[in-house]
Amino acid sequence: MIKKPVYLDYHSTTPVDPQVLKLMIKYFTEDYGNPGSRTHEYGIRAEQAVEKARGEISKYINAQSSKEIIFLSGATEANNLVLFGIATKFGAEGKNHIITSSIEHKSILDTTEELKKRGMTVTYLNPNNEGLINLDELERSITPKTCLISIMHANNEIGVLNPIEEIGRIAQKNTIFFHCDASQSLGKVAIDVQKAGISLLSLSAHKIYGPKGIGALYVRQKNPRVVLNPIIYGGGQERGLRSGTLAAPLIVAFGEAVKMACTSMNKETEKLRKLRDYFLAGLRKHHKDLLVNGTMASRLPNNLNISFRGIDSEALMLLLREDLALSNGSACTSTTWKSSYVLEAMGYDEERCKGALRLSVGRYTSKEEIDFAIERIAKTVSRLRELSPIQKSLSLVR
Ligand SMILES: *Cc1c(COP(=O)(O)O)cnc(C)c1O
C-alpha cells in the first residue's frame, strides 16, 4: 500500500530520520542543560554532545578544526550572516563589490538586493541554458573592490552542480573569499572545503533528514582567516558570531543526520540515481516531448526538473494534489504563483518555465511510488491536453 500523497519534494524539506529523532528527544527531556552552563552535569553533558556534533560536521566537510563550525538557525541565516557580515566588514573600506549568480536561493538574492540599497555593488552572473555559470565571465567580473564570490554548490530547483573547485581556484588566485551554499549537496556529493578553496560554507539540517530550524556556517580560520561581523549580538556564543543559547537537541540531531548521510552516501546516492533515472525514463515513455531543464551531466542524483509543452504545471499540481506532493521550484516563492526565476535566467521561454515541475526522490521513496507517480503524471498530462484545444494544438505544433 502506498501512502498518499506520495512525497516527491525532498528538495524543499525531508522527514526527520527515526534514528535522528530518537537521539534528539534525549536532549529535550533528559540531558536538557544549557551547553553554556558548565557548572553542572546537565550543562556539561549538553556541551559535550554539541561538541561531538560539531566534530562530525567538520570532519565530513574536511574543516581543519571543529571551531570553524558556527551553529545557527539554518542556511537562510548562514547566508545572511555571510553577506551582511562581509559587507559591513569590508564595504566601509571601499571593498564593496560582491559577485554571485542570478539563480542563487532567495536568501542570497533578497539579501544582496538589500545590500545594494546600502551602498554595495553586486554582479549577478547568468547561467547558460544548462544551468552552469561561465568561469571566464566570473574571472572577468572581479575588480580590486571585490570582497566576496558567493556561488551555490547545487541549485535547489534544477539540481545542477557548479564546479566549486574551479571557482575556489579563481577566488584564491585573486585573494577573494569564496562562499558556497551547500544546503542541497550536503550528504549527496562529497564536499571538501580544502580542495575547493572554500572560505565560508552554508549548511542546513532539514534537507538531510534532520530537524528544521538548525544549520551551520563553516568559517575558515586559517589560510586565509575569514573575518566578518556578526548580525546578532548577545552572550558571545559561537566565537561571537552567533549569540544565543545553543539549540542543543537540534544540533545533536543535525550532527547525527550528517553522520548518517555522509557515511552511507555512496550507497544512498546510487539508489537515488537509479530511481530518478527510472522515473525519467518512465515519463518519457508516455510523453516523448518532455523537456529536461538543466544539464543531466552535472546534477544531484535525486533531482528531476522537467517541462511538458503546453502544460501549466500549476494546473497539473492541482489535479494531482491528492496523489502526489509536487513542486514547481522554490518552496519559498510558491505561495505567490510566478514562474521560476531560475529557468527564466537560463533563457527558457515562458511556456517552458510555466510548465516546469520539480521532482525529487529521497531516502524513503520506493519503486512502487515512482510507478504510481509515472502513471498519474502521464495520464494527467494527457487529460489536460485533451481538455484544452489550445494546449492540444500547442503540443501538436511541437
Ligand atoms: C533550503 C535552502 C536554503 C534555506 O535553508 P533553511 O535552513 O531552510 O533556512 C538555502 N539555500 C538553499 C540552496 C536551500 O536549498
Side-chain angles (χ1 to χ4, degrees), residues 11 73-77 79 105 107 152 154 156 181 183-184 204 206-207 214:
H11 285 321
S73 67
T76 298
E77 187 187 333
N79 291 345
H105 189 264
S107 54
M152 70 202 321
N156 44 294
D181 179 350
S183 305
Q184 291 289 346
S204 176
H206 74 95
K207 306 285 172 72
I214 188 75

Side-chain angles (χ1 to χ4, degrees), residues 309-325:
R309 281 289 180 198
I311 297 290
D312 190 319
S313 63
E314 197 189 18
L316 192 60
M317 285 189 290
L318 271 172
L319 286 174
L320 288 168
R321 215 176 182 126
E322 283 176 23
D323 292 332
L324 308 172

Side-chain angles (χ1 to χ4, degrees), residues 15 53 86 327:
I86 294 285
S327 162

Side-chain angles (χ1 to χ4, degrees), residues 226-255:
V226 177
V227 276
L228 74 168
N229 289 326
I231 51 176
I232 290 174
Y233 293 83
Q237 289 92 341
E238 302 300 87
R239 289 166 44 209
L241 281 173
R242 213 297 190 158
S243 286
T245 302
L246 287 166
L250 301 181
I251 291 168
V252 168
F254 185 17

